[in-house]
Amino acid sequence: TGTVTIASTTLDPAAAFADYTTKLRHSKPDVRVDTAGAKFCGYSSQKLTGAFLGPSGAVDFADRLTHIWTNTNKYLVVTHLEGPADAPGFDAAKTALMQDFAVVIP
């Protein structure tokens, strides 16, 4: 499954990313996470990949976190993908969903 979450934040990019990762580790104590910076048109962004143990077995996941600022607010945008470990098509879905995306601020 894949989801996109857009949440207002008062944190700077590093703190927002750290807060997200801390919450992830607390919600899934057995999680294994690899982090990589991702360049993105003047916005701070990271890619997280890893696995955790779900009720039906191992689950792979990928997250694209992007900190988007405007003149009035800051937002943490997270694209999250997960599926059973070694699921056919997961790598193709990860490649598609973790790409850069358009940001339009009216």
Side-chain angles (χ1 to χ4, degrees), residues 47-61:
K47 292 181 182 179
L48 308 178
T49 56
F52 59 90
L53 188 58
S56 301
V59 177
D60 288 336
F61 76 92

Side-chain angles (χ1 to χ4, degrees), residues 8 17 23 28-29 77:
S8 182
F17 297 158
K23 288 177 181 174
K28 299 173 181 8
V77 178

Side-chain angles (χ1 to χ4, degrees), residues 3-7 20 62-66 76-80 101:
T3 58
V4 175
T5 304
I6 303 171
Y20 180 86
D63 288 343
R64 172 73 184 259
L65 299 103
T66 305
L76 182 64
V77 178
V78 178
T79 304
H80 175 81
F101 51 88

Side-chain angles (χ1 to χ4, degrees), residues 38-86:
K39 293 182 180 183
F40 184 62
C41 295
Y43 296 107
S44 296
S45 190
Q46 286 186 344
K47 292 181 182 179
L48 308 178
T49 56
F52 59 90
L53 188 58
S56 301
V59 177
D60 288 336
F61 76 92
D63 288 343
R64 172 73 184 259
L65 299 103
T66 305
H67 188 273
I68 298 176
W69 54 269
T70 70
N71 289 335
T72 56
N73 292 311
K74 296 181 255 183
Y75 301 91
L76 182 64
V77 178
V78 178
T79 304
H80 175 81
L81 173 70
E82 66 180 55
D86 301 322

